[in-house]
């Protein structure tokens, strides 16, 4: 077994830690399972606690422009209160429940460019040391997948996905950020909108679906954003293609920028975006599914190579910085 990280703050001869997640993607609100493997150092150590921390790479918009940072959004204590003898190997299995709003990182096994990780923290003799950072894979809930596939059936294409720091007012959002899935318009809507952004805010009872359209300007009017929100149940059985088409028609038929921004869903109360909270190009702008459908496009391997590279670089860079 290869242990990834020497716990530097505990000095030479301290214990090492490696967290191994069970194979396969988890789902929002579901369980994450695995084991934390410890190997004792040159002397005995009292392990006070073992904590798992969920982290995400998040974009933030501000007056100076846009920046990226890492946000921790959940912590779990999975073990502790034992002595690790010198040279001893000890494994701690864990099962934790993920937040319902945990972002989706993949669709049909293809990365969307969203970066989530699990970081392990060990508290020993009053000192805390963050251990390895492991990539976390999250597949959509069945109703989220059904809605995205309906967009694909209607001719929308996948452009990119990112995480935005802030809060969508009027929703039940609990995390300090939200996910936006950016879609290129279906041909029938291409003359009305530049793109549509989809945000899922899941909870135990269902999913809030927030849609934002970047509407094109007309001869006598400028472009503007329009927002609307719908609530669906986890086990709803609907004609999702017809349902989503009705949502888009309702969204695109709104008139006027001022009207489009009224209502409880259009405001971000963490920071001012100057009336426009659309994210920047992000890291997946080269991803496009085309009229063949969103799900088919992503599953067909059209995710740009640089998306996958950046995901890997994030974790490799973290280990180099903290190793």
């Amino acid at each position: 077994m290869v242990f990834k990280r020497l716990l530097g703050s505990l000095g030479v001869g301290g214990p090492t830690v490696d967290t191994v997640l069970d194979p396969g993607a988890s789902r929002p609100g579901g369980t994450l399972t695995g084991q934390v493997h410890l190997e004792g150092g040159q002397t005995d150590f009292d392990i006070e606690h073992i904590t798992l921390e969920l982290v995400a790479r998040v974009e933030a918009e501000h007056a100076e422009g846009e920046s990226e940072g890492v946000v921790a959004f959940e912590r779990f204590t999975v073990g502790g209160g034992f002595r690790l003898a010198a040279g001893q190997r000890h494994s701690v299995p864990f099962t934790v429940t993920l937040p319902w709003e945990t972002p989706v990182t993949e669709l049909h096994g293809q990365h969307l460019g969203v970066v989530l990780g699990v970081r392990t923290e060990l508290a020993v003799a009053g000192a805390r040391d963050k251990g390895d950072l492991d990539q976390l894979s999250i597949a959509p809930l069945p109703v989220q997948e059904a809605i995205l596939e309906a967009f694909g059936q209607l001719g929308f294409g996948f452009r990119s996905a990112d995480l935005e720091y802030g809060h969508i007012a009027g929703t039940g959002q609990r995390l300090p950020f939200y996910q936006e899935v950016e879609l290129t318009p279906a041909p029938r809507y291409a003359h009305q909108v530049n793109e549509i952004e989809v945000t899922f805010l899941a909870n135990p009872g269902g999913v809030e679906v927030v849609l934002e359209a970047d509407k094109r300007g007309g001869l006598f009017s400028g472009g503007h954003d329009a927002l609307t929100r719908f609530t669906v149940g986890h086990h709803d059985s609907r004609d999702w293609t017809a349902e989503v088409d009705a949502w888009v028609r309702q969204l695109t038929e709104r008139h006027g920028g001022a009207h489009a921004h009224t209502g409880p869903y259009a405001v971000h109360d963490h920071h001012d975006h100057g009336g426009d909270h659309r994210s920047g190009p992000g890291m997946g702008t080269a991803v496009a599914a085309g009229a063949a459908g969103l799900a088919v496009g992503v599953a067909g391997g059209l995710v740009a190579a640089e998306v996958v590279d950046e995901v890997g670089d994030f974790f490799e860079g973290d280990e180099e910085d903290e190793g």
Side-chain angles (χ1 to χ4, degrees):
M1 182 180 299
V2 177
F3 288 89
K4 296 183 180 179
R5 186 64 54 84
L6 173 68
L7 298 178
S9 68
L10 304 181
V12 177
T16 55
V17 61
D18 180 34
T19 298
V20 178
L21 304 179
D22 288 345
S26 300
R27 294 184 187 271
T31 58
L32 177 68
T33 59
Q35 295 195 46
V36 179
H37 300 297
L38 303 172
E39 184 172 9
Q42 295 177 2
T43 61
D44 296 354
F45 281 87
D46 290 321
I47 307 299
E48 296 177 357
H49 69 72
I50 303 169
T51 300
L52 303 180
E53 185 176 64
L54 305 185
V55 300
R57 187 167 71 178
V58 176
E59 296 181 1
E61 295 182 12
H62 42 78
E64 292 75 26
E66 191 174 89
S67 59
E68 288 187 343
V70 176
V71 174
F73 62 97
E74 187 62 280
R75 287 172 62 87
F76 309 96
T77 298
V78 297
F82 61 91
R83 170 160 288 200
L84 184 67
Q88 177 188 1
R89 291 189 173 184
H90 181 74
S91 294
V92 178
F94 62 83
T95 299
V96 298
T97 301
L98 296 171
W100 280 98
E101 291 179 21
T102 301
V104 174
T105 67
E106 64 176 58
L107 181 61
H108 298 289
Q110 296 295 316
H111 287 293
L112 301 181
V114 172
V115 181
L116 299 182
V118 180
R119 193 192 303 275
T120 308
E121 180 183 280
L122 207 63
V124 180
R128 295 186 180 185
D129 204 309
K130 294 184 184 297
D132 59 328
L133 181 64
D134 297 276
Q135 185 172 341
L136 178 59
S137 297
I138 303 295
L141 294 165
V143 69
Q144 293 173 329
E145 185 172 313
I147 291 170
L148 290 175
E149 290 185 349
F151 273 106
Q153 291 297 321
L154 292 168
F156 289 83
F158 176 78
R159 174 170 287 163
S160 67
D162 55 24
L163 306 180
E164 294 282 338
Y165 184 78
H167 188 274
I168 304 175
T171 68
Q173 181 185 341
R174 302 180 66 87
L175 295 185
F177 57 83
Y178 55 92
Q179 181 173 20
E180 287 183 336
V181 178
E182 300 176 2
L183 306 178
T184 57
R188 79 180 79 169
Y189 295 110
H191 67 289
Q192 294 175 285
V193 297
N194 294 307
E195 69 177 14
I196 285 183
E197 296 172 347
V198 183
T199 294
F200 294 115
L201 299 174
N203 58 66
V207 180
E208 292 179 88
V209 185
V210 182
L211 301 182
E212 177 181 0
D214 176 17
K215 300 186 72 173
R216 297 184 184 276
L219 183 61
F220 301 105
S221 63
H224 61 272
D225 292 348
L227 291 99
T228 190
R229 183 187 69 175
F230 305 91
T231 301
V232 300
H234 287 296
H235 305 291
D236 283 4
S237 179
R238 309 185 191 184
D239 180 345
W240 286 111
T241 302
E243 185 83 6
V244 169
D245 192 42
W247 293 352
V248 175
R249 281 189 283 108
Q250 178 178 328
L251 184 64
T252 56
E253 288 169 4
R254 291 187 170 190
H255 300 290
H259 173 76
H261 276 286
T262 59
Y265 327 122
V267 183
H268 293 250
D269 57 3
H270 274 204
H271 49 276
D272 181 13
H273 285 167
D276 182 355
H277 79 276
R278 289 174 292 117
S279 63
M283 55 183 167
T285 51
V287 182
L294 179 67
V296 174
V298 175
L302 296 182
V303 176
E306 57 266 28
V307 173
V308 179
D309 289 344
E310 287 198 35
V311 171
D313 291 345
F314 176 76
F315 292 96
E316 292 172 7
D318 176 86
E319 293 184 357
E320 291 171 2
D321 293 343
E322 298 186 16

